[in-house]
Amino acid sequence: MNNTTPLSALRSLLLAQGLDGMIVPRADAHQSEDCTPHDNKLAWLTGFSGSAGLALILRDRALIFVDGRYQVQVRAEVDLHDFEVHHLHDEPLADYLQEHVSAGSRIAFEPLLMVNSQYEALAATHCKLIALENDPFDEVWKDRPAAPCGPIREMPVDISGESSAQKRLRVAAELAKHRVDYLAITLPDNIAWLLNVRGSDLAMVPVPFSFALLHSTGELEWFVDSRKTESLSDTLLSTLTLSSPENFLPRCQQLANGKRFLVDKDYAPVALRFAIEQQGGNVVWSPDPITLMKANKNEIELAGYRECHEQDGAAWVNFLAWLAHEVPLREAAGNPVTELEAQAKQLAFRQQQPGFLEQSFGTISAAASNAAMCHYHSSEKTNTPITTQAMYLNDSGGQYENGTTDTTRTIAFAPQHAQRRLHYTAVLKGFLSLISLQFPSGSQGHQLDAFARRALWELGLDFDHGTGHGVGHQLLIHEQPHRIAKKVNQWPLTAGNIITIEPGYYLAGQYGIRIENQVEIIESRPGFCQFSSLTLVPIDLSLVELHLLSETEKQWIDDYHQQVRETLSPRVNSDARPWLFAATAPIRVQVN
């Protein structure tokens, strides 16, 4: 058999081991959204670069499953002669195995890359799941990148707002409520929050990849490459025990006999369950209590978010003013601004801001039809000119010393045709409907989602992604547990949570539209909450059919733009100030 391709090499290995297939998720042992190059097996195997998906490799066919965000992108990146494309949620893998794969087929998987709920669903099919003890990619991936080893830094209490010792006491109190002996922590951002540290294993993902065990007594064992910890203070290191990541599962086994471990039901690898139960331990399935603690921001964290959004807003205005000047001028000269050039210029403006560390995620700089892929990232191959004929979508953010930002704007540089204006207006109306909403404290994200979709639904349109996600405090750009989406989310939204609001619409092959603000949830009156915008960036009104907006919607925009103008005018570059004043002028002035 020809072993020159990743797919053929993996198939040969499976055949040699008497296996009928293998599940290859886009996952690591922490269920991270962003895999390091060392762990991104799905990308190496298929060419797909998105953040969610999995492959099923069988002897006679191969399939890749991705969600709605990537249905266009996957077809551009994957060889469709080798892989069939399926929908991750509408066509679940378990259903496919049951309906299309012969009973008794031996399907391999890596227990460190699969959570318990996935395992239970797949184990219920008529296929036989085979847990691999060794990583097969160590054998077939000849030029596999090394595991990352980025240095870890401490986060001062004057930025985090609470000491690690205080956090550990709070978590230990939760363990007592559950009557458990240990909390097995597998989420790196939870460990980073608990220890007040940040990492550098992967750009734009400021967490150290590691595991931890918190004892009910408050004692902490941290399973992390010791080379990463060389710059940490003795004050911190003296409060915990260090061990290598490879010792995490054996240590759980060593402690397991008769003990109770709290294990996150949604994110911990099933390998952890196997290790504990095989040695007589008991797994208590429950969300890691750190996840919700981390999402409920303290006053110092909230103040940091507000400050860094002023810095980020100034960078945005400097960038948008530059674009507004350069795009028509350069187009007329036959040397148009490109997606990658705009992306680099925006980063340069952010780098001028105090406290800026790095981007919070890879910028989506998308012109024309590229914006129809909602997680598109420009490359030398796809780099497209930004022109007056098409809309331009930019989704980007920054990691600052005191917080994290995430904003999307869709803009135009000349009048656009009626259909684009109608679709943009529907997205804007959905955005306004949700961001201006007052709701009972404790409401759940799925209960609010329809407010952002109604205007699109009235046109027979929709978007196939969530409406909002939590954002970490100098942590992950997509932070658990809060989501606003159609899918049920059990977590209550309360004052002190940080989330985004980002409806959109995407017409494949033509254009994409999204408007996104990051917001803080605040109390509006006893028992009720509302959204307070952290994002301070003008909304392009040149694309709006203003007659379709209510007076209330117009007033919200005017009030928001006044806040943007007054807050940012002292911060922006002098040459950007005229653009800021024009972009935030009251609607009646813009119409006239």
Side-chain angles (χ1 to χ4, degrees):
M1 180 175 289
N2 180 6
N3 291 333
T4 59
T5 69
L7 179 59
S8 58
L10 182 60
R11 273 205 176 112
S12 293
L13 181 65
L14 297 177
L15 287 170
Q17 296 182 7
L19 297 167
D20 299 301
M22 182 176 177
I23 299 163
V24 182
R26 204 280 192 182
D28 61 13
H30 313 281
Q31 295 299 310
S32 306
E33 180 178 11
D34 297 286
C35 287
T36 67
H38 173 82
D39 290 309
N40 200 345
K41 299 171 182 178
L42 187 64
W44 176 79
L45 180 66
T46 69
F48 173 64
S49 65
S51 64
L54 61 85
L56 173 64
I57 309 304
L58 301 170
R59 294 189 178 192
D60 59 348
R61 58 196 185 279
L63 304 83
I64 184 166
F65 296 75
V66 299
D67 65 26
R69 296 171 296 172
Y70 296 115
Q71 290 297 313
V72 175
Q73 179 178 331
V74 70
R75 289 170 169 82
E77 294 181 337
V78 172
D79 188 336
L80 300 181
H81 295 291
D82 289 336
F83 288 90
E84 305 171 21
V85 177
H86 293 258
H87 198 289
L88 188 63
H89 305 303
D90 296 345
E91 308 168 83
L93 175 60
D95 290 355
Y96 187 90
L97 290 175
Q98 186 67 25
E99 297 171 11
H100 301 288
V101 179
S102 301
S105 294
R106 292 165 50 83
I107 306 298
F109 75 102
E110 293 184 76
L112 272 172
L113 306 186
M114 184 177 290
V115 300
N116 188 69
S117 58
Q118 294 170 323
Y119 172 76
E120 294 288 354
L122 296 172
T125 69
H126 60 209
C127 294
K128 184 176 181 180
L129 292 187
I130 306 298
L132 297 177
E133 294 183 5
N134 299 312
D135 184 345
F137 285 81
D138 284 338
E139 182 172 342
V140 297
W141 192 351
K142 301 301 183 183
D143 57 349
R144 185 175 186 177
C149 190
I152 301 172
R153 55 187 167 85
E154 294 184 49
M155 189 176 215
V157 175
D158 60 0
I159 295 178
S160 68
E162 186 180 12
S163 71
S164 176
Q166 291 171 317
K167 291 177 178 179
R168 290 184 227 180
L169 287 175
R170 282 208 286 145
V171 179
E174 290 298 313
L175 302 189
K177 293 178 184 178
H178 286 86
R179 300 194 306 263
V180 297
D181 300 290
Y182 307 101
L183 168 63
I185 313 173
T186 64
L187 292 174
D189 60 321
N190 283 6
I191 297 170
W193 177 88
L194 183 65
L195 296 179
N196 282 343
V197 298
R198 298 297 185 263
S200 56
D201 284 330
L202 184 62
M204 301 175 285
V205 183
V207 300
F209 290 101
S210 61
F211 302 100
L213 270 177
L214 182 67
H215 298 229
S216 58
T217 59
E219 177 187 347
L220 185 77
E221 299 183 51
W222 189 14
F223 300 84
V224 62
D225 190 324
S226 60
R227 293 173 297 173
K228 301 179 185 180
T229 66
E230 291 175 354
S231 63
L232 298 182
S233 68
D234 291 338
T235 302
L236 173 61
L237 295 177
S238 65
T239 66
L240 50 82
T241 302
L242 286 181
S243 187
S244 69
E246 293 76 19
N247 291 334
F248 176 61
L249 293 180
R251 178 59 172 161
C252 291
Q253 289 181 315
Q254 183 184 24
L255 296 171
N257 188 23
K259 299 298 184 180
R260 289 164 55 85
F261 289 71
L262 193 153
V263 177
D264 194 301
K265 63 186 181 67
D266 295 317
Y267 297 102
V270 70
L272 181 56
R273 166 192 163 184
F274 294 165
I276 294 168
E277 292 182 341
Q278 285 169 3
Q279 296 301 317
N282 299 296
V283 172
V284 177
W285 294 110
S286 181
D288 183 338
I290 296 173
T291 302
L292 189 57
M293 289 183 185
K294 184 173 84 270
N296 294 328
K297 313 303 181 189
N298 62 49
E299 287 302 321
I300 292 177
E301 289 174 318
L302 292 171
Y305 278 108
R306 297 172 196 135
E307 171 64 20
C308 75
H309 274 86
E310 293 186 16
Q311 297 161 348
D312 205 58
W316 262 100
V317 168
N318 292 336
F319 169 62
L320 292 176
W322 176 84
L323 270 183
H325 179 266
E326 292 294 317
V327 166
L329 193 67
R330 294 268 298 274
E331 182 182 11
N335 179 32
V337 176
T338 67
E339 295 169 334
L340 288 178
E341 182 184 359
Q343 180 176 316
K345 190 69 175 179
Q346 185 180 35
L347 176 58
F349 281 123
R350 278 201 171 97
Q351 290 170 332
Q352 296 172 3
Q353 297 302 314
F356 176 76
L357 300 173
E358 62 177 340
Q359 298 177 108
S360 54
F361 58 97
T363 295
I364 299 171
S365 176
S369 62
N370 288 338
M373 296 178 279
C374 61
H375 275 211
Y376 165 82
H377 293 288
S378 188
S379 66
E380 292 295 341
K381 182 179 180 180
T382 64
N383 191 20
T384 297
I386 302 171
T387 69
T388 58
Q389 282 74 49
M391 295 183 292
Y392 171 68
L393 185 152
N394 185 289
D395 184 350
S396 63
Q399 293 285 4
Y400 291 80
E401 290 179 353
N402 52 1
T404 302
T405 70
D406 182 4
T407 302
T408 307
R409 289 294 183 262
T410 306
I411 54 179
F413 306 94
Q416 301 292 308
H417 62 65
Q419 178 179 270
R420 294 177 184 175
R421 294 170 60 85
L422 178 63
H423 291 166
Y424 181 93
T425 304
V427 172
L428 176 61
K429 286 178 71 69
F431 170 86
L432 294 172
S433 176
L434 184 52
I435 202 169
S436 63
L437 183 67
Q438 179 175 258
F439 56 92
S441 179
S443 296
Q444 297 164 324
H446 60 278
Q447 296 171 328
L448 310 184
D449 181 71
F451 285 91
R453 299 178 188 268
R454 178 176 176 177
L456 285 164
W457 286 352
E458 289 175 347
L459 298 176
L461 307 174
D462 203 357
F463 55 94
D464 194 5
H465 61 71
T467 300
H469 57 83
V471 179
H473 183 248
Q474 203 197 121
L475 276 174
L476 302 186
I477 194 62
H478 292 154
E479 181 175 85
Q480 301 298 335
H482 296 107
R483 290 288 185 275
I484 300 176
K486 294 178 182 179
K487 185 178 179 181
V488 172
N489 182 285
Q490 64 176 314
W491 300 99
L493 293 166
T494 59
N497 295 156
I498 301 293
I499 203 161
T500 64
I501 294 175
E502 49 181 306
Y505 176 67
Y506 312 90
L507 188 58
Q510 297 192 42
Y511 53 83
I513 300 163
R514 186 162 64 254
I515 302 171
E516 175 187 18
N517 275 26
Q518 194 170 319
V519 295
E520 172 188 348
I521 298 178
I522 62 173
E523 185 177 357
S524 57
R525 62 178 64 179
F528 282 81
C529 289
Q530 64 186 33
F531 299 112
S532 175
S533 185
L534 293 166
T535 297
L536 296 168
V537 179
I539 297 169
D540 189 353
L541 298 181
S542 72
L543 283 163
V544 182
E545 296 286 6
L546 291 171
H547 68 280
L548 296 178
L549 299 185
S550 69
E551 291 305 312
T552 301
E553 290 170 330
K554 293 176 184 177
Q555 189 61 55
W556 190 96
I557 293 172
D558 280 349
D559 291 344
Y560 175 68
H561 276 165
Q562 181 178 352
Q563 178 192 9
V564 171
R565 181 171 63 252
E566 292 177 353
T567 303
L568 297 186
S569 57
R571 287 181 173 267
V572 301
N573 296 343
S574 58
D575 58 354
R577 203 164 290 130
W579 181 90
L580 171 63
F581 277 77
T584 60
I587 288 176
R588 64 181 182 277
V589 174
Q590 297 198 32
V591 171
N592 294 335

